[in-house]
Amino acid sequence: MNAHSRARLEAIADLLDSRWRIPGTGVRFGADALLSLLPGLGPVVSTAISTYLIWASRRLGVSTGTVLRMIGNVGLDAVISSVPLAGPVGDVFFRANRRNMALLRTHLASGSA
């Protein structure tokens, strides 16, 4: 995997999960939490982008087991996002895309491909 591709995937995960900081705190949030404020369409868009990260990871050779863990992370995130009012708060604290990028980094560091 070239550095540019990895940086692109990291940037997408960062944008979705931890792009901004709530002033005066160490709490970070991303577009996923903001999209959860839009009933119906917001969580669908967020999940679609998260699915792209999984697809790209699979193309990089991550195992089926790891892909299933990634799908589980995104699935749980989608359930959290769908809860009215609580969804955006849950998205601030459950960062599926950051978790999935950690799984991808572990795969790449192991030299598996």
Side-chain angles (χ1 to χ4, degrees):
M1 170 181 207
N2 68 40
H4 178 70
S5 296
R6 182 174 175 168
R8 181 174 35 86
L9 296 177
E10 291 280 0
I12 292 168
D14 179 63
L15 175 65
L16 286 172
D17 287 347
S18 57
R19 176 66 180 99
W20 301 283
R21 186 177 56 84
I22 297 172
T25 72
V27 178
R28 300 192 68 81
F29 68 98
D32 190 22
L34 298 175
L35 287 167
S36 292
L37 296 170
L38 301 171
L41 183 61
V44 169
V45 170
S46 178
T47 300
I49 297 169
S50 296
T51 301
Y52 167 75
L53 293 175
I54 296 170
W55 175 80
S57 296
R58 183 61 181 171
R59 290 198 45 150
L60 293 169
V62 298
S63 69
T64 300
T66 300
V67 168
L68 291 174
R69 287 178 63 194
M70 290 176 159
I71 290 169
N73 285 335
V74 172
L76 181 56
D77 186 58
V79 169
I80 291 169
S81 295
S82 68
V83 177
L85 301 177
V89 174
D91 281 333
V92 169
F93 296 102
F94 184 77
R95 299 179 177 114
N97 299 294
R98 298 272 19 127
R99 289 171 185 254
N100 287 348
M101 286 308 301
L103 291 170
L104 177 59
R105 282 191 298 276
T106 299
H107 164 76
L108 294 173
S110 73
S112 302

